[in-house]
Amino acid sequence: MIICNHARLAYVAAEGELQQPFKDELPTRQAQLSTLQNTEEFDVLVIGGGATGSGCALDAVTRNLKTALVERNDFSSGTSSRSTKLIHGGVRYLQKAIMKLDYEQYMMVKEALHERSNLLDIAPHLSAPLPIMLPVYKWWQLPYYWAGIKMYDLVAGVQCLKSSYVLSKKKALELFPMLKKDKLVGAIVYYDGQHNDARMNLAIALTAARHGAAMANYTEVVHLLKKTDAGTGKEKVCGARCRDVVTGNEFDVRAKCVINATGPFTDSLRKMDDVKNANICQPSAGVHIVIPGYYSPDNMGLLDPATSDGRVIFFLPWEKMTIAGTTDTPTEVTAHPIPMEEDINFILNEVRNYLSPDVEVRRGDVLAAWSGIRPLVTDPNSKDTQSICRNHIVHISDSGLLHTCGGKWTTYRSMAEETLDAAVSAHGLGGGPSKTVGLMLEGGKDWSPTMYIRLVQDYGLENEVAQHLAATYGGKAFEVAKMARVTGKRWPIVGKRLVSEFPYIESEVRYAVKEYACTAIDVIARRTRLGFLNVQAADEALPRIVEIMGKMLDWSEQKRTEELEAAKKFLYFEMGYRSRSEQLTNTSEITLDTQEVARYTKRFHKFDKDSKGFITTVDVQRVLQNIGVQIDENALHEILNEVDLNKNGQVELNEFLQLMSAVQKGQVSDNRLAILMKTAEESLDLRGPVSVDRSGGGV
């Protein structure tokens, strides 16, 4: 049985206040596991804790259906945390709909625009409208793009966020000063939504839990449970054998309906149901990079509608950084996708095409990079099995297992509604219509744009930290503030940061455990977004995160070491740390001219006083003391280790020249040793030789 994905536009507002059995305190993960093990039968068991799976659980539980959800990793650990962070209808899909007179594409955009409006309403703390500029470099394109963008506004109707408008060249450069001026004729600005995707996913899951759904992360399906239908004699799926990944304990969860919402892993569960099932998922990798916030205005994105190979590139401000992406290349399904160097360089090159030559976009400025797998699907009942479904499908197998796959972040709620409608119909579940339109998500109800001021006034938090907490936890931010420890300083009174340049504080780690965080990766990747914003900062914060979690979860020393290593591996491979660190290797070519080599050699010898050919922490410490600078010895070891390519505890002249060559080429930026040695040299030169009279006549 296949259900077509027609747009769902006739909505009924959420009916009053739905009762929340866990309004005041979330049940612990252990309590959730206990409910899963001790409930005789659920109405619905959802497998997969991404946006769609969590949306299905929320839709089901608010229909008064007895609901369970299991996720083998963490909520939002896959595709749902690795998106472009946009809540959008799809400008390019509308262009295709108009050019090809494709009604299905048109309705898909119309549905997404309705869902965009709803998502901005139900999670105002996590989302906001974002103006996006489309620069125009040919006169004939101006009316062409303007007509298309105006049609986008028209399709949105009363839910249009703000009317699009045309800008002159002068005004465009005022708003986006780093834009390339040459041949620019003007720009068009339109509005879409932006959100914190992993936190949004978590908000959906936590809202479902508060309404009574039994939700457990790190709980994998070992195999499906089946029973023979008395009427037809066919085997029907009636639940799943599950395993708690943390303890290894196995148990059965029985349900009248089982929903497969595993995204890119859809085919794994389809084959678990019937090994003969053909693959329907055609995974595509989308890579994004994060570069410093100064590359884009604080509140203006950029869209490149036609890159060198036809893909669309977004260039967006996010969490005070800049996101650039995305690629679209076929890939294998994996739980640990890795951003490739060629994809990172492709994005950088496209960004350079749109920015002024005055702005040097350096490879070393990539602070983090990640790859997300889009679960593109084919219709399993279609004669042409190679054709990609443009939106999503809801499919019910012969065994009664229900599959929801494809789609996009913005339409997660309508996908969930359609999936539960199908479940209710096929399995006779009852429960009434969907109630999720207008249903506020975790933290949304008590949020206001000025609530951060109360956090500053009532708790003595830094302004930036208070704004971050309000924008991340909404009304629940006060609970995080209550858990914050006193700093012992005059200001801030509470709230010790995990790293100095980001507003994440230690009490967020403690609160993360209440939000079902089980690993250090959960904290740096999804409860906070530090790993997605700056891999080096995340690496620096890890020891303290592990220490706090270790105390709360009673980890042994071995477990703490394992957690630290696993998180470092995650940053190294999945968040682009490897690509960043490989910009400086033993084989890095030195491309300095003779004068530059002489200049940097002279700088090196100001530290290598004994002409040993290498410098150590002792050498650096001695120079720093001469200019009145003190640095912790452990920090100094870390600084030298970044450049110590052969890991022999010292930095040779050749390694230093390799570093300076990489810095000059833009492959490496913000290197601490390079900046430290340059600053020290300038300080020494400013001091100059001590005069005879000041030295006491040389006596």
Side-chain angles (χ1 to χ4, degrees):
M1 177 179 177
I2 188 83
I3 294 157
C4 297
N5 52 311
H6 297 303
R8 317 295 294 267
L9 304 178
Y11 294 142
V12 179
E15 298 176 6
E17 280 293 313
L18 292 168
Q19 188 178 357
Q20 291 187 40
F22 302 109
K23 184 177 180 180
D24 297 324
E25 191 75 23
L26 279 167
T28 64
R29 181 175 179 273
Q30 198 52 49
Q32 295 281 39
L33 287 167
S34 179
T35 302
L36 286 172
Q37 294 175 57
N38 298 320
T39 300
E40 186 176 340
E41 185 181 49
F42 289 94
D43 293 318
V44 174
L45 168 62
V46 182
I47 303 172
T52 303
S54 298
C56 286
L58 181 57
D59 193 287
V61 75
T62 51
R63 295 188 196 214
N64 294 317
L65 298 175
K66 197 178 292 184
T67 305
L69 179 146
V70 294
E71 160 61 48
R72 72 174 178 181
N73 203 293
D74 185 27
F75 302 115
S76 192
S77 58
T79 306
S80 296
S81 64
R82 303 170 190 237
S83 74
T84 311
K85 323 301 180 198
L86 284 178
I87 309 169
H88 64 113
V91 173
R92 56 181 175 155
Y93 298 122
L94 183 61
Q95 181 191 22
K96 291 176 185 176
I98 294 169
M99 297 297 289
K100 298 181 181 179
L101 299 177
D102 190 327
Y103 181 72
E104 185 184 341
Q105 291 255 28
Y106 168 78
M107 290 306 291
M108 185 179 79
V109 174
K110 193 167 180 66
E111 175 190 35
L113 288 170
H114 275 260
E115 291 301 320
R116 179 188 72 177
S117 175
N118 182 66
L119 194 49
L120 288 166
D121 286 342
I122 64 177
H125 58 305
L126 291 169
S127 60
L130 176 72
I132 300 174
M133 181 184 290
L134 198 162
V136 180
Y137 288 90
K138 295 177 182 175
W139 279 108
W140 68 266
Q141 290 179 333
L142 203 58
Y144 174 74
Y145 286 143
W146 181 84
I149 295 297
K150 276 297 169 190
M151 180 63 73
Y152 194 58
D153 291 350
L154 192 64
V155 173
V158 294
Q159 293 169 325
C160 177
L161 301 179
K162 190 175 179 181
S163 185
S164 57
Y165 54 91
V166 177
L167 290 173
S168 66
K169 175 179 179 177
K170 181 181 177 183
K171 192 65 179 174
L173 291 170
E174 281 180 18
L175 291 173
F176 211 119
M178 53 286 292
L179 202 59
K180 185 170 71 177
K181 304 170 189 175
D182 188 34
K183 297 182 181 178
L184 181 71
V185 297
I188 299 166
V189 175
Y190 73 97
Y191 285 76
D192 259 328
Q194 188 179 50
H195 68 154
N196 185 337
D197 53 1
R199 290 295 319 182
M200 185 74 82
N201 191 157
L202 189 63
I204 299 165
L206 295 176
T207 307
R210 287 197 187 276
H211 280 88
M215 315 275 290
N217 55 351
Y218 293 99
T219 305
E220 67 178 351
V221 171
V222 180
H223 61 80
L224 296 171
L225 303 177
K226 293 187 176 184
K227 65 181 180 182
T228 304
D229 185 272
T232 63
K234 291 183 178 180
E235 280 198 327
K236 296 290 183 181
V237 172
C238 63
R241 179 73 172 178
C242 298
R243 185 175 76 89
D244 179 358
V245 175
V246 177
T247 64
N249 181 39
E250 291 191 7
F251 54 91
D252 290 339
V253 179
R254 298 191 177 274
K256 295 172 185 173
C257 173
V258 178
I259 296 173
N260 173 12
T262 55
F265 300 94
T266 294
D267 288 326
S268 299
L269 211 64
R270 279 170 53 80
K271 290 183 183 297
M272 194 181 285
D273 176 29
D274 184 350
V275 72
K276 297 176 184 175
N277 279 332
N279 289 345
I280 63 169
C281 187
Q282 298 192 18
S284 169
V287 171
H288 295 81
I289 63 172
V290 172
I291 52 182
Y294 53 68
Y295 277 112
S296 64
D298 291 339
N299 192 37
M300 177 74 74
L302 185 77
L303 167 65
D304 178 356
T307 62
S308 57
D309 66 353
R311 293 180 283 196
V312 171
I313 288 284
F314 284 99
F315 191 67
L316 310 167
W318 185 70
E319 300 285 323
K320 299 188 177 178
M321 295 294 176
T322 301
I323 290 180
T326 176
T327 60
D328 186 6
T329 50
T331 187
E332 296 295 318
V333 175
T334 171
H336 307 288
I338 297 171
M340 304 306 290
E341 185 63 24
E342 55 264 35
D343 290 323
I344 293 171
N345 283 320
F346 166 78
I347 295 169
L348 285 173
N349 286 331
E350 294 302 328
V351 166
R352 290 184 186 111
N353 289 338
Y354 268 78
L355 295 189
S356 167
D358 299 340
V359 181
E360 185 186 355
V361 183
R362 304 173 297 179
R363 174 60 184 82
D365 283 333
V366 177
L367 304 172
W370 69 85
S371 176
I373 300 178
R374 297 185 191 90
L376 304 177
V377 291
T378 55
D379 183 339
N381 285 358
S382 171
K383 292 179 182 178
D384 178 12
T385 56
Q386 298 306 308
S387 61
I388 295 281
C389 177
R390 292 189 183 98
N391 195 358
H392 65 269
I393 60 169
V394 177
H395 177 250
I396 304 175
S397 67
D398 292 340
S399 67
L401 180 63
L402 200 152
H403 310 274
T404 179
C405 37
K408 57 182 181 177
W409 226 121
T410 307
T411 57
Y412 85 91
R413 194 214 61 81
S414 60
M415 284 177 66
E417 179 183 347
E418 189 176 315
T419 302
L420 265 297
D421 284 348
V424 167
S425 174
H427 294 276
L429 300 178
S434 175
K435 298 181 178 68
T436 53
V437 171
L439 180 67
M440 297 300 284
L441 298 182
E442 175 91 347
K445 183 184 175 186
D446 300 319
W447 175 86
S448 75
T450 57
M451 69 164 282
Y452 77 92
I453 297 172
R454 284 177 54 205
L455 289 167
V456 175
Q457 294 175 335
D458 295 355
Y459 294 94
L461 289 162
E462 289 176 86
N463 192 58
E464 186 187 12
V465 170
Q467 288 179 323
H468 152 67
L469 294 181
T472 302
Y473 304 94
K476 301 295 179 185
F478 294 99
E479 294 182 21
V480 184
K482 286 174 188 174
M483 298 172 75
R485 304 282 172 84
V486 175
T487 62
K489 300 177 182 177
R490 184 186 64 78
W491 191 263
I493 297 169
V494 301
K496 186 178 179 184
R497 296 192 184 211
L498 288 167
V499 283
S500 60
E501 69 266 43
F502 288 92
Y504 302 115
I505 57 175
E506 291 183 353
S507 65
E508 290 184 77
V509 182
R510 300 181 187 96
Y511 193 75
V513 175
K514 294 182 68 173
E515 291 184 325
Y516 306 128
C518 297
T519 70
I521 297 172
D522 297 344
V523 173
I524 60 172
R526 294 171 286 275
R527 303 309 184 282
T528 72
R529 307 312 307 275
L530 190 53
F532 278 76
L533 294 169
N534 189 314
V535 287
Q536 284 188 303
D539 186 62
E540 185 181 318
L542 274 175
R544 181 59 179 149
I545 290 170
V546 169
E547 183 184 350
I548 295 169
M549 293 187 78
K551 287 178 181 177
M552 293 190 71
L553 298 172
D554 197 26
W555 287 345
S556 65
E557 279 304 314
Q558 182 183 347
K559 173 65 174 172
R560 294 183 190 206
T561 302
E562 289 171 358
E563 280 295 320
L564 193 60
E565 290 306 310
K568 284 179 176 289
K569 184 178 178 182
F570 168 78
L571 291 173
Y572 188 73
F573 289 105
E574 295 182 55
M575 289 294 111
Y577 210 161
R578 180 181 68 172
S579 293
R580 184 176 171 87
S581 62
E582 283 179 353
Q583 298 309 305
L584 183 64
T585 67
N586 278 312
T587 57
S588 294
E589 186 182 357
I590 298 173
T591 56
L592 303 170
D593 61 33
T594 308
Q595 286 183 324
E596 289 166 338
V597 169
R599 184 167 84 248
Y600 294 132
T601 301
K602 180 183 176 185
R603 181 178 300 172
F604 184 84
H605 284 305
K606 285 185 188 277
F607 288 77
D608 179 21
K609 290 285 188 184
D610 303 324
S611 299
K612 306 183 297 296
F614 62 85
I615 58 174
T616 64
T617 54
V618 174
D619 297 315
V620 178
Q621 198 80 273
R622 182 176 57 202
V623 174
L624 294 180
Q625 284 172 356
N626 284 340
I627 60 172
V629 175
Q630 285 190 329
I631 292 183
D632 177 72
E633 191 174 344
N634 290 331
L636 206 52
H637 273 292
E638 283 183 24
I639 291 170
L640 262 69
N641 192 51
E642 291 174 5
V643 185
D644 181 13
L645 301 176
N646 56 15
K647 303 305 176 191
N648 62 354
Q650 55 199 34
V651 174
E652 283 91 10
L653 174 59
N654 195 59
E655 289 174 324
F656 180 66
L657 293 176
Q658 283 176 300
L659 168 65
M660 298 316 299
S661 180
V663 167
Q664 195 176 80
K665 288 187 287 187
Q667 293 175 321
V668 172
S669 64
D670 303 328
N671 180 270
R672 293 183 288 179
L673 183 64
I675 293 171
L676 187 68
M677 290 178 70
K678 180 183 179 183
T679 306
E681 181 186 46
E682 289 171 349
S683 297
L684 289 170
D685 289 345
L686 279 172
R687 290 172 63 179
V690 180
S691 63
V692 175
D693 60 325
R694 284 190 59 203
S695 67
V699 177

